[in-house]
Amino acid sequence: MTTEYRILLFYKYVPIADPEALTAEHLQYCKELGIKGRILIASEGINGTLSGTIEQTNRYMEAMRSNPLFSDLLFKIDEASGHAFKKLFVRHKKELVTLRYDKKLDPNTDGGGRLTPKEWHDHLDRDDVLILDGRSDYEYDLGHFRNAIRPDLETFREFPEWIRNNLTEHKDKRILTYCTGGIRCEMLTAVLKNEGFEDVFQLDGGIVTYGQDPEVQGRGFDGNCYVFDERVSVRINQTDEHILVGECHHCGKKTDRYVNCKDDTCHLQHLVCEECESDKRGYCSSDCESHDLVASGSTL
């Protein structure tokens, strides 16, 4: 079966002299092209994920590579049956990944080494390495590499303090870190290096590239990968080793489905199995259901 749409995931740390002007120009171009998605532009580079038809995405990639700043921009490509986003956002930000670190870091010069998917796979069962998930806790809960450390964090900017409190005693070990597409680990390895860790590596291209590699086929990744579009959850391990690790918020049953709480004042994104989503009517708790009913003037 052929698909008419594709999803592009991309980023590049590169100095941009006038990011606000580029943001306005890029927004206009994307509107005219008809793509949807979320693109962030800062003085340190660009980070985006978007969806469009094959023709639209081809034109976008060609246009980006015609710009000397992005001539070597790498795109991760997934086929899709339709748009993965409802809207288009192109925004200027101070940082591509919100860190607010006490030192300005450039991942291109301050970051750690890179491991190919095959090299990464070969490290997974080694006793002399620590594997650090570079994402947030709710992403880890849906899926992660086997034996990876779960950071109990809600935001990326909590990492420096977490590292100081939890990893200082392991400075003699090799630290491997990974994230969805690679951009967060570019910065995270730079933070680790600045915090005194010397033997630091990241998974080149992130989880997405690992899952697409024909040799490793996602081996060693349990559960599914959280993505920031309408798909929410995508499979990475393409082998018969694939297992679910996410647990239903209500009953603990294994699941790969995230939903938003139906209560408009909550909207907690939580893992839920099909049975509990129906039984709990889309609410994360009885309090949220009661609150929603009172707010709408209904009664239990």
Side-chain angles (χ1 to χ4, degrees):
M1 183 180 72
T2 59
T3 58
E4 298 180 356
Y5 286 78
R6 288 193 299 205
I7 300 167
L8 304 183
L9 179 68
F10 58 94
Y11 75 89
K12 184 179 181 182
Y13 282 103
V14 58
I16 297 177
D18 193 344
E20 293 185 68
L22 181 61
T23 299
E25 176 186 321
H26 204 72
L27 174 60
Q28 184 60 36
Y29 173 73
C30 291
K31 284 182 176 179
E32 293 172 356
L33 189 57
I35 59 175
K36 298 180 181 180
R38 184 175 62 253
I39 301 169
L40 305 177
I41 298 174
S43 61
E44 61 186 1
I46 189 169
N47 177 30
T49 178
L50 59 86
S51 62
T53 65
I54 292 177
E55 179 185 357
Q56 289 169 331
T57 53
N58 278 337
R59 288 173 58 191
Y60 182 85
M61 289 188 287
E62 290 171 4
M64 290 296 286
R65 286 170 175 159
S66 68
N67 186 326
L69 288 175
F70 310 119
S71 59
D72 58 350
L73 187 60
L74 297 176
F75 291 92
K76 302 172 185 68
I77 303 173
D78 271 335
E79 295 183 343
S81 58
H83 271 297
F85 296 90
K86 295 179 180 179
K87 298 179 180 180
L88 169 68
F89 296 96
V90 181
R91 292 175 175 165
H92 169 251
K93 287 190 67 179
K94 291 184 177 180
E95 297 178 289
L96 291 182
V97 179
T98 303
L99 182 60
R100 298 174 186 170
Y101 195 52
D102 54 12
K103 178 182 178 181
K104 182 66 175 177
L105 299 173
D106 181 355
N108 293 310
T109 56
D110 301 326
R114 298 168 182 268
L115 296 178
T116 66
K118 176 62 168 59
E119 290 170 333
W120 179 272
H121 180 266
D122 291 343
H123 276 75
L124 290 180
D125 294 324
R126 287 176 48 170
D127 295 329
D128 60 339
V129 304
L130 290 181
I131 302 172
L132 174 61
D133 196 306
R135 306 170 298 159
S136 299
D137 48 10
Y138 64 91
E139 297 173 79
Y140 179 99
D141 291 342
L142 177 63
H144 51 265
F145 280 102
R146 220 162 288 158
N147 302 320
I149 299 171
R150 178 188 187 272
D152 189 18
L153 309 175
E154 294 182 1
T155 62
F156 188 78
R157 64 175 176 265
E158 298 173 60
F159 257 113
E161 182 178 357
W162 185 90
I163 290 169
R164 293 164 193 152
N165 293 336
N166 295 273
L167 289 186
T168 303
E169 63 186 84
H170 299 295
K171 287 187 176 181
D172 59 327
K173 287 197 172 185
R174 173 166 289 188
I175 308 293
L176 309 183
T177 184
Y178 66 92
C179 59
T180 308
I183 187 168
R184 284 178 282 184
C185 286
E186 291 255 15
M187 189 60 72
L188 183 55
T189 59
V191 171
L192 284 163
K193 295 279 284 187
N194 192 62
E195 293 291 328
F197 295 84
E198 297 182 359
D199 200 8
V200 180
F201 290 85
Q202 73 176 86
L203 172 57
D204 196 16
I207 301 168
V208 174
T209 296
Y210 188 82
Q212 294 175 342
D213 184 88
E215 184 173 5
V216 299
Q217 300 181 63
R219 286 185 176 86
F221 190 89
D222 294 333
N224 284 9
C225 179
Y226 185 98
V227 290
F228 296 89
D229 58 55
E230 294 296 311
R231 296 172 299 167
V232 182
S233 171
V234 297
R235 179 170 172 170
I236 297 299
N237 194 325
Q238 306 301 322
T239 74
D240 55 10
E241 296 176 1
H242 177 252
I243 61 172
L244 295 180
V245 297
E247 297 183 354
C248 176
H249 177 74
H250 301 286
C251 71
K253 180 180 178 180
K254 298 298 183 183
T255 182
D256 62 355
R257 303 173 65 254
Y258 260 119
V259 301
N260 292 326
C261 177
K262 192 176 176 181
D263 181 7
D264 286 336
T265 64
C266 177
H267 281 314
L268 174 70
Q269 194 172 65
H270 58 291
L271 285 160
V272 63
C273 66
E274 292 186 21
E275 293 82 358
C276 286
E277 182 180 13
S278 175
D279 183 56
K280 304 298 183 180
R281 291 173 287 280
Y283 295 98
C284 71
S285 68
S286 56
D287 287 343
C288 280
E289 182 175 11
S290 298
H291 176 270
D292 211 19
L293 289 172
V294 171
S296 64
S298 302
T299 57
L300 289 171

